[in-house]
Amino acid sequence: QRKSVPEMTPINVASEYVVREQLSQIGLQNLMPRVDTVDVALADNEATRRIRQLAENWTNGIPRGWQQIAAIEERLKQHCVLDRDARLPEDSESPVERFLFEQRCGPEYLFASSAACLLRSLGYSTRMVSGFYARSENYEPRKQHTAVYARDAHFWCEVSIGADTW
């Protein structure tokens, strides 16, 4: 029922870091077979067809695997503007479609959900995740504590590469 966690509440977490440069060097396409059942999770409507067409246009001629994933990410960064204060109208029937084709600006969760939908339309198994970015400049060595603030909330899209690895 609170709007925030009381100050100085300790939260212990486990963190992981992905070395992006190594992802491009390993043959992920063999670990990431096309998952046709992913399409079942997407509605069959005009919005989904437009999103699929955009994904196909953005990845045309790019081999399946990390290269396609990176292409979707890069195109999203070029196509849309990050604006934490931007809001979609509440009556949006397809927020991702509106974000990608009309508004083209919004907070992180719209980038993450758009990446998830674009990649799912290409047959990748994806999930949207939220968490906090613990900034090293907020670390207090004496207390062994890192302060995390609301501005540190973050959303991202993860892609399954099999064996419960995202």
Side-chain angles (χ1 to χ4, degrees), residues 54-63 67-69 71-72 122:
L54 183 64
E56 289 170 354
N57 289 344
W58 284 0
T59 58
N60 186 28
I62 298 173
Q67 290 176 320
Q68 279 190 343
I69 295 165
I72 291 289
L122 295 173

Side-chain angles (χ1 to χ4, degrees), residues 63-150:
R64 183 163 177 76
W66 176 249
Q67 290 176 320
Q68 279 190 343
I69 295 165
I72 291 289
E73 178 187 31
E74 188 58 37
R75 292 299 301 264
L76 265 173
K77 289 178 185 178
Q78 294 169 0
H79 186 74
C80 300
V81 176
L82 178 64
D83 180 352
R84 286 184 169 229
D85 297 322
R87 298 289 177 258
L88 291 175
E90 290 184 24
D91 64 345
S92 294
E93 287 187 32
S94 174
V96 169
E97 179 187 32
R98 179 138 186 167
F99 173 69
L100 288 171
F101 296 102
E102 294 174 38
Q103 193 160 322
R104 293 181 54 182
C105 70
E108 281 184 348
Y109 78 87
L110 285 170
F111 278 83
S113 55
S114 295
C117 288
L118 288 159
L119 290 167
R120 282 181 187 170
S121 75
L122 295 173
Y124 293 94
S125 181
T126 68
R127 66 183 182 188
M128 196 167 108
V129 183
S130 65
F132 293 92
Y133 178 74
R135 298 176 187 278
S136 59
E137 61 267 19
N138 294 342
Y139 180 69
E140 299 174 30
R142 189 177 60 76
K143 295 180 182 179
Q144 294 184 338
H145 172 266
T146 303
V148 178
Y149 303 97

Side-chain angles (χ1 to χ4, degrees), residues 3 9 11 24 31-32 35 53-54 60 97 106 113 132 145 150 155 164:
K3 289 186 175 183
T9 300
I11 300 173
S24 64
L31 297 172
M32 305 168 86
V35 182
Q53 185 62 51
L54 183 64
N60 186 28
E97 179 187 32
S113 55
F132 293 92
H145 172 266
F155 293 84
D164 294 326

